[in-house]
Amino acid sequence: VCLLPVPVPSQVPSCISSGSVRLHASNPNLSTAALGTAKEDFCRVANNRKYSLLPTTNNSTDGSHPLVHQASNESRASITESLSEFFDAQEVLLSASSSENEASDDDSYISDNVSDNISMDNFSNETERPNSENGTLLRRRRSCLPSASPNTSNISLWNILKNNIGKDLSKVAMPVQLNEPLNTLQRLCEELEYSELLDRAANTQDPFERMVYVATFAVSGYASSYHRAGGKPFNPVLGETYECDRPDKGLRFIAEQVSHHPPISACHADSKNYIFWQDMRWKNKFWGKSMEIVPVGTTHVILPGFGDHYEWNKVTSCIHNILSGQRWIEHYGEISIRNTSTDICQCKVTFIKAKYWNSSVNEVEGTITDHKGKVIHRLFGKWNEGMYCGDPPSATCIWRANAMPADHEQYYGFTKFAMELNELDPSLKLLLPPTDTRLRLDQRLLEEGNVEAAEEQKQNIEQQQRDRRRVLEENTMTHQPTFFRKSKDDTWVSNNTYWDLRSDPGFAHLDCPVLW
Ligand SMILES: *[C@@H]1O[C@H](CO)[C@@H](O)[C@H](O)[C@H]1NC(C)=O
Ligand SMILES: *[C@@H]1O[C@H](CO)[C@@H](O)[C@H](O)[C@H]1NC(C)=O
Ligand SMILES: *[C@@H]1O[C@H](CO)[C@@H](O)[C@H](O)[C@H]1NC(C)=O
Ligand SMILES: *[C@@H]1O[C@H](CO)[C@@H](O)[C@H](O)[C@H]1NC(C)=O
Ligand SMILES: *[C@@H]1O[C@H](CO)[C@@H](O)[C@H](O)[C@H]1NC(C)=O
Ligand SMILES: *[C@@H]1O[C@H](CO)[C@@H](O)[C@H](O)[C@H]1NC(C)=O
Ligand SMILES: *[C@@H]1O[C@H](CO)[C@@H](O)[C@H](O)[C@H]1NC(C)=O
Ligand SMILES: *[C@@H]1O[C@H](CO)[C@@H](O)[C@H](O)[C@H]1NC(C)=O
Ligand SMILES: *[C@@H]1O[C@H](CO)[C@@H](O)[C@H](O)[C@H]1NC(C)=O
């Protein structure tokens, strides 16, 4: 029997278990058709790990046959390619929210093995934030987007592909309604939503406990992907930048799109407690009904107080039912975290792929070992809910995902932190370089709900980028990133000029590229 692992509607996980814990394995709101599609997809993925566009059944009703029959090798390649263009640089673009997250009476969806004796760490006390203790007046941030997400029910990615078979699909523009009003640079910043885990690590003497917080931080970056329905982030244009100054979190973040082919986004954040940086690009594998997004790149965290330099990879993300049915996202694979200068402490975190006979989804397990391989700490939990340290049934909650805003389904499934990322305060506007994403019109217009104008601007901005690229090519010049440089080991690192230039002389007094 092929049981379908459906995303479990996620309420705020209660770290303190209520005793009665239920796991909902099915959702009444999923149509039978959607169930069929997802099931088929699942079995296929589970049974046939080979990359393939071929469907497994002969009576598929979602129209995937014409694609398969008509696709010559050439158009097959272009479909794959254009989808990777479409999905390029997206770690996580469409998500789970299949369920539309019907609330159930039961608020706790913690899996069965997390039961009674979970102790609440003091850590998730919202009011305890770095830098707020000295009475600095912190800026109020918005708690709502200006406009709800557009209705995309009449847009079919499948129709777009089908109508363009045989054409150079990389030239086919995707409608702006498929985007969410955030771009990939902002999505990288979103991984810092739970940066207090790094602050916590920086204040922990024991190296194995530090690793617990760092590993949990690595997992927490995936939490927000769960609720993202059907939206992909905007692709930044080459040279686009993004800053995020969060005195309330004690961090400053910058990012820049440093390469277009392949698309590479580089970012850097610092705080008194840590330095965080990564450069990311993504390889996509299109399976017909699902798409795997395989990130390439390394995440780095330095805790200067201890001389720790952690490095880790990201796991694979898979969007199921990409062409039809209820889309949902899954992450699977292993994150291996090491301290580059010593092997006294290592960590492996596994995102478990849902199995069709097992209704548990989104589960994560990890071990922290010493140099002899002896397990010092065990971690477990769900990437969309929370992480625990210890052995069930008694374990400590290290982190739990924040509650979602009330109307998040209507607002792109954004968390409060995600909503704040594209906020443009008038005083901030004066300080930003003209390349900052917040000043990008198409994304702003989409955020404001003006879809038609957003579409027009998107085409305009993409055309301008093509024009700039042509000029560079004609003059055999290559693009030079402004705030990042390639280091010896080929990774992109900040050249530490952004914030200095911002305060003196200020971007208003500098020649900046004109991107739109
Ligand atoms: C939580 O706070 C209480 C009182 O403030 C303290 O006694 C306890 O040790 C703290 N627990 C942890 C895990 O920090
Ligand atoms: C959490 O925040 C509340 C409100 O400020 C405070 O009263 C409480 O002591 C805090 N809890 C801990 C354990 O620090
Ligand atoms: C309070 O925090 C702000 C922001 O980090 C800092 O600029 C300021 O110097 C601090 N003030 C004191 C008195 O520590
Ligand atoms: C979206 O539009 C379709 C009709 O095109 C309608 O049936 C559906 O209810 C709308 N959805 C929302 C959330 O408004
Ligand atoms: C979807 O519907 C809106 C109006 O409800 C319309 O403006 C738009 O063109 C439609 N899109 C497609 C792809 O049919
Ligand atoms: C990482 O390496 C540094 C430098 O050798 C060492 O001081 C630190 O304790 C190590 N930390 C961990 C968590 O292994
Ligand atoms: C489902 O998978 C989880 C995690 O791997 C495991 O703990 C659990 O025992 C499995 N349940 C069944 C019924 O196989
Ligand atoms: C759970 O809590 C109960 C009551 O406090 C205690 O008797 C039991 O030993 C605890 N179990 C574990 C595994 O800690
Ligand atoms: C470093 O930053 C400066 C100032 O923005 C810039 O002019 C320079 O090109 C950058 N250096 C490199 C190697 O990218």
Side-chain angles (χ1 to χ4, degrees):
V1 185
C2 180
L3 290 174
L4 172 69
V6 191
V8 176
S10 164
Q11 299 297 323
V12 193
S14 46
C15 273
I16 301 162
S17 164
S18 61
S20 114
V21 175
R22 274 193 290 149
L23 197 65
H24 289 232
S26 66
N27 187 307
N29 281 5
L30 281 179
S31 69
T32 324
L35 279 171
T37 319
K39 175 167 141 186
E40 198 181 298
D41 185 25
F42 226 92
C43 296
R44 190 164 53 78
V45 172
N47 297 334
N48 173 10
R49 294 287 314 165
K50 253 172 55 197
Y51 170 76
S52 163
L53 269 174
L54 299 174
T56 44
T57 61
N58 286 323
N59 53 358
S60 137
T61 49
D62 68 349
S64 59
H65 265 215
L67 172 62
V68 171
H69 290 322
Q70 290 171 22
S72 63
N73 283 345
E74 194 186 322
S75 65
R76 181 182 299 185
S78 68
I79 287 162
T80 319
E81 215 169 76
S82 77
L83 271 173
S84 53
E85 176 94 354
F86 170 53
F87 293 109
D88 61 10
Q90 314 319 335
E91 179 200 356
V92 166
L93 29 104
L94 303 163
S95 101
S97 75
S98 54
S99 46
E100 291 314 328
N101 299 324
E102 286 322 304
S104 138
D105 309 340
D106 186 347
D107 269 359
S108 57
Y109 290 96
I110 310 229
S111 51
D112 298 301
N113 49 0
V114 182
S115 59
D116 294 320
N117 293 19
I118 290 164
S119 67
M120 182 66 167
D121 203 336
N122 292 338
F123 174 42
S124 51
N125 202 333
E126 285 283 331
T127 56
E128 271 188 336
R129 284 289 163 94
N131 281 12
S132 59
E133 73 273 5
N134 78 359
T136 314
L137 198 59
L138 296 171
R139 193 156 68 78
R140 245 188 126 80
R141 291 168 200 276
R142 68 182 178 188
S143 56
C144 191
L145 292 177
S147 175
S149 23
N151 186 335
T152 55
S153 65
N154 67 349
I155 296 182
S156 154
L157 185 53
W158 163 246
N159 281 336
I160 294 168
L161 295 183
K162 192 176 59 177
N163 292 334
N164 288 286
I165 281 186
K167 292 185 194 160
D168 178 357
L169 284 166
S170 64
K171 303 257 155 61
V172 177
M174 294 294 169
V176 74
Q177 290 100 309
L178 295 177
N179 285 12
E180 60 179 27
L182 283 181
N183 78 357
T184 306
L185 305 177
Q186 292 167 312
R187 291 295 291 267
L188 289 178
C189 185
E190 208 177 342
E191 293 179 18
L192 291 163
E193 177 165 2
Y194 300 99
S195 63
E196 53 288 20
L197 288 161
L198 293 181
D199 295 311
R200 182 81 176 209
N203 287 297
T204 302
Q205 283 298 326
D206 181 86
F208 300 103
E209 279 177 35
R210 275 203 305 280
M211 187 63 104
V212 168
Y213 291 113
V214 172
T216 304
F217 169 77
V219 173
S220 73
Y222 290 90
S224 64
S225 66
Y226 183 75
H227 293 277
R228 294 298 176 73
K232 71 176 207 72
F234 279 83
N235 289 333
V237 298
L238 187 59
E240 190 167 338
T241 62
Y242 176 70
E243 69 157 62
C244 186
D245 183 16
R246 295 290 302 234
D248 58 327
K249 294 170 85 66
L251 70 86
R252 295 186 309 190
F253 171 96
I254 62 161
E256 179 175 355
Q257 191 72 3
V258 293
S259 164
H260 185 67
H261 279 307
I264 301 177
S265 309
C267 71
H268 178 97
D270 43 53
S271 137
K272 70 173 165 41
N273 291 326
Y274 57 84
I275 307 166
F276 164 93
W277 75 99
Q278 56 182 343
D279 59 10
M280 278 296 147
R281 65 195 189 92
W282 288 264
K283 287 185 187 162
N284 303 301
K285 291 184 188 173
F286 179 50
W287 293 67
K289 283 179 186 151
S290 61
M291 169 164 301
E292 275 186 330
I293 300 156
V294 184
V296 182
T298 307
T299 306
H300 299 259
V301 165
I302 285 184
L303 303 178
F306 294 105
D308 295 0
H309 178 168
Y310 300 95
E311 271 185 6
W312 67 87
N313 59 294
K314 288 189 151 70
V315 294
T316 297
S317 301
C318 182
I319 299 146
H320 295 276
N321 301 339
I322 190 126
L323 293 178
S324 61
Q326 299 284 352
R327 290 185 183 126
W328 60 284
I329 195 158
E330 186 182 17
H331 308 289
Y332 42 79
E334 186 180 88
I335 293 180
S336 171
I337 308 177
R338 56 187 207 99
N339 184 7
T340 53
S341 43
T342 61
D343 63 356
I344 56 168
C345 170
Q346 284 153 15
C347 177
K348 290 202 189 315
V349 179
T350 307
F351 286 60
I352 300 162
K353 196 174 195 320
K355 297 183 184 73
Y356 62 82
W357 62 86
N358 189 330
S359 61
S360 63
V361 290
N362 304 342
E363 297 207 337
V364 179
E365 285 172 3
T367 51
I368 287 153
T369 48
D370 68 9
H371 64 288
K372 291 194 190 113
K374 181 171 170 252
V375 175
I376 308 294
H377 291 296
R378 280 182 201 282
L379 292 171
F380 66 97
K382 292 191 171 212
W383 55 258
N384 61 324
E385 292 184 348
M387 289 296 288
Y388 305 84
C389 183
D391 289 309
S394 93
T396 307
C397 179
I398 305 296
W399 158 79
R400 60 174 169 163
N402 292 330
M404 292 299 289
D407 294 332
H408 65 272
E409 285 102 338
Q410 281 90 58
Y411 292 90
Y412 302 93
F414 280 8
T415 61
K416 171 97 172 40
F417 186 63
M419 278 184 209
E420 294 164 357
L421 291 171
N422 202 43
E423 186 174 11
L424 183 54
D425 194 72
S427 60
L428 177 63
K429 195 172 177 176
L430 302 170
L431 302 172
L432 295 176
T435 50
D436 194 279
T437 302
R438 286 183 189 78
L439 304 171
R440 188 172 157 167
L441 261 186
D442 52 354
Q443 190 174 316
R444 182 65 55 194
L445 286 162
L446 177 66
E447 186 186 284
E448 289 164 356
N450 191 343
V451 173
E452 272 161 43
E455 182 62 57
E456 198 178 305
Q457 284 299 330
K458 179 167 174 279
Q459 289 174 18
N460 185 7
I461 289 168
E462 285 166 358
Q463 185 57 44
Q464 289 183 49
Q465 165 159 262
R466 283 191 284 273
D467 293 346
R468 282 195 301 277
R469 197 188 323 162
R470 209 188 46 241
V471 170
L472 282 179
E473 275 166 15
E474 282 169 6
N475 295 287
T476 57
M477 286 157 67
T478 52
H479 171 84
Q480 286 299 328
T482 313
F483 304 110
F484 288 83
R485 60 183 170 79
K486 229 181 196 167
S487 72
K488 271 173 262 146
D489 60 350
D490 250 20
T491 60
W492 289 91
V493 296
S494 162
N495 82 4
N496 291 318
T497 53
Y498 185 92
W499 297 102
D500 290 344
L501 291 173
R502 186 186 192 262
S503 59
D504 181 24
F507 292 117
H509 302 106
L510 283 168
D511 264 348
C512 295
V514 177
L515 302 180
W516 44 73

